[in-house]
Amino acid sequence: EIVMTQSPATLSVSPGERATLSCRASQSVGSNLAWYQQKPAQAPRLLIYGASTRATGIPARFSGSGSGTEFTLTISSLQSEDFAVYYCQQYNNWKTFGQGTKVEIK
Amino acid sequence: QVQLQESGPGLVKPSETLSLTCTVSGDSINPYYWSWIRQPPGQGLEWIAYVYYSGRTNYNPSLRSRVTISIDTSNSQFSLSLTSVTTADTAVYYCARGNRHDVFDYWGQGTLVSVSS
């Protein structure tokens, strides 16, 4: 099983600032990496797939990068609606999720 | 607009079988695959299984021995069966669609299933 490790567990950011979230895979997943956003009592929402392609309707302030084992999700200027938990997920071999990064208001 | 809706009991006794159904509306069942994903309270996400419109299935190795997923294309539904449940199976269970990019683009709202006597 490919283990996905996200850091940090919690990120405190002020509105308007940049947020950088990391995701590491225990072995290479190529570009088969997605990011999801989850708000309290809601289902996850697909943000990014293929490591860097935004899903339909996702604002340009969300960007993804990386390949192999190291990936990054960047939110260029945090809006109030962006405070949530973010999960990475690999789909190169079965499907496994990271444990999540909570982005909270500083 | 694609919509998924989970249905099934919210409470299951230990050692019994958890059964859930997801009803899909707003789009065809094919050519996608359909999945179950769960989230224990306060924890992360765990993929359980998926089934293609063709009936081909794939299971999380850690749950394979207890899980069956099936699809009913005529009624746009797919189902999950999880046997011999324990309190560790208490979770919000989501159904989701896997698209041509192999990611989950539509999700149900989730249903909480508690395992308790």
Side-chain angles (χ1 to χ4, degrees), chain B residues 35-115:
Chain B
S35 195
W36 289 96
I37 296 156
R38 70 181 182 179
Q39 185 172 37
Q43 298 184 39
L45 299 159
E46 180 180 36
W47 168 70
I48 301 170
Y50 67 70
V51 58
Y52 273 90
Y53 65 96
S54 62
R56 180 165 72 90
T57 58
N58 211 343
Y59 296 97
N60 184 325
S62 68
L63 295 168
R64 180 193 301 270
S65 63
R66 298 195 292 132
V67 174
T68 302
I69 190 171
S70 60
I71 194 163
D72 177 358
T73 55
S74 61
N75 287 311
S76 294
Q77 293 180 325
F78 62 104
S79 298
L80 172 73
S81 174
L82 178 65
T83 62
S84 304
V85 297
T86 69
T87 55
D89 295 309
T90 293
V92 174
Y93 285 76
Y94 295 100
C95 56
R97 187 181 84 169
N99 68 9
R100 65 185 182 93
H101 301 293
D102 203 13
V103 290
F104 303 117
D105 60 350
Y106 287 95
W107 297 61
Q109 65 186 23
T111 186
L112 174 62
V113 179
S114 298
V115 178

Side-chain angles (χ1 to χ4, degrees), chain A residues 27-38:
Chain A
Q27 64 189 78
S28 178
V29 299
S31 294
N32 295 317
L33 191 285
W35 290 93
Y36 298 84
Q37 175 193 68
Q38 186 178 35

Side-chain angles (χ1 to χ4, degrees), chain A residues 8-51:
Chain A
T10 303
L11 186 62
S12 298
V13 186
S14 299
E17 290 188 341
R18 174 188 296 260
T20 302
L21 290 67
S22 296
C23 175
R24 173 177 292 178
S26 61
Q27 64 189 78
S28 178
V29 299
S31 294
N32 295 317
L33 191 285
W35 290 93
Y36 298 84
Q37 175 193 68
Q38 186 178 35
K39 296 180 180 179
Q42 293 186 18
R45 177 175 72 142
L46 176 66
L47 298 176
I48 300 282
Y49 63 91

Side-chain angles (χ1 to χ4, degrees), chain A residues 78-100:
Chain A
L78 272 159
Q79 307 298 301
S80 58
E81 62 266 29
D82 300 334
F83 292 96
V85 179
Y86 292 83
Y87 293 95
C88 61
Q89 178 233 328
Q90 68 81 20
Y91 49 98
N92 190 64
N93 185 1
W94 310 107
K95 298 172 191 309
T96 51
F97 293 85
Q99 80 279 19

